[in-house]
Amino acid sequence: WVYYQRRHRGKLSATKVELLNKAGFVWQSEYSVPSEISVEWMHCFQLWEKHFKEYKTPHVLSSNNPPLYDWVWRQRNNRDKLSATQVELLNKAGFVWHSEDSASSELSAAWMNWFEQWKEYYKKYKSPHVIRGQNRPLHGWVVRQRNNRDKLSATQIELLNKAGFIFQSPTGISVEWMALFEQWKDYKEHKTPHRQTLKTTKYQHLYKWVWRQRKNRDKLSTTQVELLNKAGFVWHSAHEVTWMDRFEQWKEYY
């Protein structure tokens, strides 16, 4: 609608122009778009830009947004039919021209989309391991990369390795455990390691995990215990620390 007002300003009534001006309407877009570009195309382009900014990837999954996925697919398949201005706009915005089925590219749009989502997860949670309960689809994608490493291209493996992807957890330790361990380590760097500070809704999953490690210490592997000890894990709760401190003080007094 906004693009239409700009393009057809000469056809608008004086009242409409006045209303738009008073409301702070900007007649000149950030793009200088000639009449060869339709309102529909420009609208889809701006939706794609919004998707790019929100998801940090130029690739669109058909399951996430079927109409936008179709539009991206059409741009790739009909690149030779696009105007020079359209191609320039897409290039400047970071559009990726290889399609999901492109034989010239080892990296499908879908794979790259998942890869970008995994990098965002890694950045947010400071762990390359994805907890299934937090993001089940992404967890499934990570598991598939590990299980099918021999089927990945050299380019895919290189991208994953450079980004810090871990293809195998330490022997006897589940991916889920490692994911929570690394989240706890990141939490510990900014907070106290004692469990009662984890009781807020945001950290409930870590609170429960810490509690289970303390309760089931004798069931943990030697490697797990060693990892926790090296990271400064406290095996008794803060309440127990306080009691022990008082007990030691009492003994000294006695």
Side-chain angles (χ1 to χ4, degrees), residues 36 41 74-87 90 97:
E36 68 196 45
W41 190 93
R74 288 195 303 274
Q75 309 317 299
R76 289 167 174 158
N77 282 4
N78 301 308
R79 182 176 182 176
D80 56 337
K81 297 178 182 178
L82 297 176
S83 69
T85 305
Q86 287 172 312
V87 172
L90 289 165
W97 292 100

mmCIF file of all heavy atoms in Angstrom, residues 36 41 74-87 90 97:
data_model
loop_
_atom_site.group_PDB
_atom_site.id
_atom_site.type_symbol
_atom_site.label_atom_id
_atom_site.label_comp_id
_atom_site.label_asym_id
_atom_site.label_seq_id
_atom_site.Cartn_x
_atom_site.Cartn_y
_atom_site.Cartn_z
ATOM 1 N N GLU A 36 9.289 -0.536 -13.676
ATOM 2 C CA GLU A 36 9.372 -1.921 -14.123
ATOM 3 C C GLU A 36 9.148 -2.912 -12.991
ATOM 4 O O GLU A 36 8.876 -4.089 -13.216
ATOM 5 C CB GLU A 36 10.757 -2.179 -14.745
ATOM 6 C CG GLU A 36 11.884 -2.123 -13.731
ATOM 7 C CD GLU A 36 13.252 -1.993 -14.374
ATOM 8 O OE1 GLU A 36 13.402 -1.193 -15.289
ATOM 9 O OE2 GLU A 36 14.156 -2.717 -13.921
ATOM 10 N N TRP A 41 5.996 -7.464 -6.284
ATOM 11 C CA TRP A 41 7.386 -7.907 -6.168
ATOM 12 C C TRP A 41 8.084 -7.167 -5.036
ATOM 13 O O TRP A 41 8.803 -7.765 -4.240
ATOM 14 C CB TRP A 41 8.141 -7.663 -7.483
ATOM 15 C CG TRP A 41 9.499 -8.321 -7.517
ATOM 16 C CD1 TRP A 41 9.798 -9.552 -8.009
ATOM 17 C CD2 TRP A 41 10.736 -7.780 -7.000
ATOM 18 N NE1 TRP A 41 11.145 -9.826 -7.840
ATOM 19 C CE2 TRP A 41 11.752 -8.754 -7.223
ATOM 20 C CE3 TRP A 41 11.092 -6.587 -6.373
ATOM 21 C CZ2 TRP A 41 13.078 -8.570 -6.852
ATOM 22 C CZ3 TRP A 41 12.426 -6.397 -5.997
ATOM 23 C CH2 TRP A 41 13.400 -7.375 -6.228
ATOM 24 N N ARG A 74 11.209 -18.676 -7.124
ATOM 25 C CA ARG A 74 10.974 -18.071 -8.441
ATOM 26 C C ARG A 74 12.092 -17.114 -8.841
ATOM 27 O O ARG A 74 12.474 -17.031 -10.012
ATOM 28 C CB ARG A 74 9.625 -17.339 -8.470
ATOM 29 C CG ARG A 74 8.421 -18.261 -8.467
ATOM 30 C CD ARG A 74 7.158 -17.522 -8.857
ATOM 31 N NE ARG A 74 6.875 -16.387 -7.989
ATOM 32 C CZ ARG A 74 6.204 -16.467 -6.835
ATOM 33 N NH1 ARG A 74 5.767 -17.649 -6.422
ATOM 34 N NH2 ARG A 74 5.970 -15.400 -6.106
ATOM 35 N N GLN A 75 12.626 -16.365 -7.862
ATOM 36 C CA GLN A 75 13.720 -15.444 -8.188
ATOM 37 C C GLN A 75 14.935 -16.214 -8.677
ATOM 38 O O GLN A 75 15.617 -15.804 -9.625
ATOM 39 C CB GLN A 75 14.108 -14.592 -6.968
ATOM 40 C CG GLN A 75 12.967 -13.878 -6.267
ATOM 41 C CD GLN A 75 11.979 -13.238 -7.217
ATOM 42 O OE1 GLN A 75 12.305 -12.356 -8.006
ATOM 43 N NE2 GLN A 75 10.720 -13.671 -7.127
ATOM 44 N N ARG A 76 15.212 -17.342 -8.030
ATOM 45 C CA ARG A 76 16.371 -18.142 -8.420
ATOM 46 C C ARG A 76 16.181 -18.786 -9.795
ATOM 47 O O ARG A 76 17.100 -18.803 -10.616
ATOM 48 C CB ARG A 76 16.621 -19.215 -7.363
ATOM 49 C CG ARG A 76 17.163 -18.658 -6.070
ATOM 50 C CD ARG A 76 17.115 -19.665 -4.942
ATOM 51 N NE ARG A 76 17.770 -19.138 -3.747
ATOM 52 C CZ ARG A 76 17.537 -19.564 -2.509
ATOM 53 N NH1 ARG A 76 16.657 -20.518 -2.294
ATOM 54 N NH2 ARG A 76 18.172 -19.021 -1.488
ATOM 55 N N ASN A 77 14.987 -19.330 -10.013
ATOM 56 C CA ASN A 77 14.736 -20.026 -11.282
ATOM 57 C C ASN A 77 14.561 -19.070 -12.455
ATOM 58 O O ASN A 77 14.731 -19.472 -13.611
ATOM 59 C CB ASN A 77 13.481 -20.899 -11.156
ATOM 60 C CG ASN A 77 13.765 -22.194 -10.413
ATOM 61 O OD1 ASN A 77 14.876 -22.404 -9.939
ATOM 62 N ND2 ASN A 77 12.779 -23.058 -10.318
ATOM 63 N N ASN A 78 14.178 -17.812 -12.170
ATOM 64 C CA ASN A 78 13.926 -16.851 -13.239
ATOM 65 C C ASN A 78 14.881 -15.663 -13.196
ATOM 66 O O ASN A 78 14.518 -14.555 -13.565
ATOM 67 C CB ASN A 78 12.474 -16.348 -13.151
ATOM 68 C CG ASN A 78 11.469 -17.489 -13.262
ATOM 69 O OD1 ASN A 78 11.521 -18.279 -14.191
ATOM 70 N ND2 ASN A 78 10.566 -17.568 -12.298
ATOM 71 N N ARG A 79 16.080 -15.930 -12.735
ATOM 72 C CA ARG A 79 17.039 -14.832 -12.605
ATOM 73 C C ARG A 79 17.260 -14.101 -13.930
ATOM 74 O O ARG A 79 17.378 -12.877 -13.957
ATOM 75 C CB ARG A 79 18.373 -15.374 -12.090
ATOM 76 C CG ARG A 79 19.421 -14.281 -11.871
ATOM 77 C CD ARG A 79 20.698 -14.833 -11.277
ATOM 78 N NE ARG A 79 21.665 -13.781 -11.031
ATOM 79 C CZ ARG A 79 22.848 -13.962 -10.442
ATOM 80 N NH1 ARG A 79 23.183 -15.169 -10.019
ATOM 81 N NH2 ARG A 79 23.681 -12.947 -10.251
ATOM 82 N N ASP A 80 17.298 -14.838 -15.035
ATOM 83 C CA ASP A 80 17.558 -14.218 -16.332
ATOM 84 C C ASP A 80 16.393 -13.353 -16.810
ATOM 85 O O ASP A 80 16.537 -12.562 -17.752
ATOM 86 C CB ASP A 80 17.868 -15.290 -17.383
ATOM 87 C CG ASP A 80 16.763 -16.329 -17.507
ATOM 88 O OD1 ASP A 80 15.997 -16.502 -16.534
ATOM 89 O OD2 ASP A 80 16.667 -16.976 -18.568
ATOM 90 N N LYS A 81 15.237 -13.491 -16.147
ATOM 91 C CA LYS A 81 14.066 -12.693 -16.522
ATOM 92 C C LYS A 81 13.898 -11.459 -15.627
ATOM 93 O O LYS A 81 13.036 -10.617 -15.882
ATOM 94 C CB LYS A 81 12.800 -13.548 -16.448
ATOM 95 C CG LYS A 81 12.802 -14.725 -17.420
ATOM 96 C CD LYS A 81 11.548 -15.559 -17.270
ATOM 97 C CE LYS A 81 11.572 -16.768 -18.206
ATOM 98 N NZ LYS A 81 10.361 -17.621 -18.039
ATOM 99 N N LEU A 82 14.698 -11.368 -14.574
ATOM 100 C CA LEU A 82 14.619 -10.212 -13.683
ATOM 101 C C LEU A 82 15.315 -9.018 -14.310
ATOM 102 O O LEU A 82 16.253 -9.167 -15.091
ATOM 103 C CB LEU A 82 15.273 -10.537 -12.334
ATOM 104 C CG LEU A 82 14.650 -11.658 -11.490
ATOM 105 C CD1 LEU A 82 15.487 -11.897 -10.240
ATOM 106 C CD2 LEU A 82 13.219 -11.307 -11.106
ATOM 107 N N SER A 83 14.866 -7.831 -13.934
ATOM 108 C CA SER A 83 15.512 -6.619 -14.431
ATOM 109 C C SER A 83 16.843 -6.421 -13.713
ATOM 110 O O SER A 83 17.091 -7.003 -12.652
ATOM 111 C CB SER A 83 14.614 -5.404 -14.191
ATOM 112 O OG SER A 83 14.536 -5.127 -12.806
ATOM 113 N N ALA A 84 17.696 -5.587 -14.278
ATOM 114 C CA ALA A 84 18.985 -5.293 -13.665
ATOM 115 C C ALA A 84 18.797 -4.679 -12.289
ATOM 116 O O ALA A 84 19.568 -4.940 -11.357
ATOM 117 C CB ALA A 84 19.786 -4.353 -14.568
ATOM 118 N N THR A 85 17.738 -3.870 -12.143
ATOM 119 C CA THR A 85 17.457 -3.228 -10.853
ATOM 120 C C THR A 85 17.062 -4.254 -9.800
ATOM 121 O O THR A 85 17.507 -4.179 -8.651
ATOM 122 C CB THR A 85 16.328 -2.195 -10.997
ATOM 123 O OG1 THR A 85 16.677 -1.265 -12.019
ATOM 124 C CG2 THR A 85 16.093 -1.462 -9.683
ATOM 125 N N GLN A 86 16.229 -5.218 -10.192
ATOM 126 C CA GLN A 86 15.821 -6.261 -9.250
ATOM 127 C C GLN A 86 17.017 -7.099 -8.793
ATOM 128 O O GLN A 86 17.177 -7.381 -7.605
ATOM 129 C CB GLN A 86 14.764 -7.163 -9.907
ATOM 130 C CG GLN A 86 13.405 -6.504 -10.054
ATOM 131 C CD GLN A 86 12.443 -7.343 -10.873
ATOM 132 O OE1 GLN A 86 12.796 -7.823 -11.948
ATOM 133 N NE2 GLN A 86 11.241 -7.516 -10.377
ATOM 134 N N VAL A 87 17.857 -7.479 -9.743
ATOM 135 C CA VAL A 87 19.048 -8.263 -9.407
ATOM 136 C C VAL A 87 19.963 -7.473 -8.484
ATOM 137 O O VAL A 87 20.509 -8.005 -7.512
ATOM 138 C CB VAL A 87 19.806 -8.677 -10.687
ATOM 139 C CG1 VAL A 87 21.141 -9.324 -10.335
ATOM 140 C CG2 VAL A 87 18.962 -9.642 -11.515
ATOM 141 N N LEU A 90 18.516 -7.367 -4.936
ATOM 142 C CA LEU A 90 18.690 -8.651 -4.270
ATOM 143 C C LEU A 90 20.147 -8.872 -3.863
ATOM 144 O O LEU A 90 20.430 -9.325 -2.754
ATOM 145 C CB LEU A 90 18.211 -9.783 -5.185
ATOM 146 C CG LEU A 90 16.690 -9.856 -5.381
ATOM 147 C CD1 LEU A 90 16.335 -10.737 -6.571
ATOM 148 C CD2 LEU A 90 16.008 -10.383 -4.120
ATOM 149 N N TRP A 97 21.734 -16.978 -4.583
ATOM 150 C CA TRP A 97 21.086 -17.413 -5.818
ATOM 151 C C TRP A 97 21.010 -18.922 -5.989
ATOM 152 O O TRP A 97 20.218 -19.399 -6.806
ATOM 153 C CB TRP A 97 21.807 -16.801 -7.022
ATOM 154 C CG TRP A 97 21.611 -15.317 -7.081
ATOM 155 C CD1 TRP A 97 22.480 -14.355 -6.671
ATOM 156 C CD2 TRP A 97 20.451 -14.625 -7.546
ATOM 157 N NE1 TRP A 97 21.939 -13.105 -6.855
ATOM 158 C CE2 TRP A 97 20.690 -13.231 -7.394
ATOM 159 C CE3 TRP A 97 19.239 -15.031 -8.078
ATOM 160 C CZ2 TRP A 97 19.758 -12.263 -7.749
ATOM 161 C CZ3 TRP A 97 18.299 -14.072 -8.442
ATOM 162 C CH2 TRP A 97 18.560 -12.711 -8.278
#
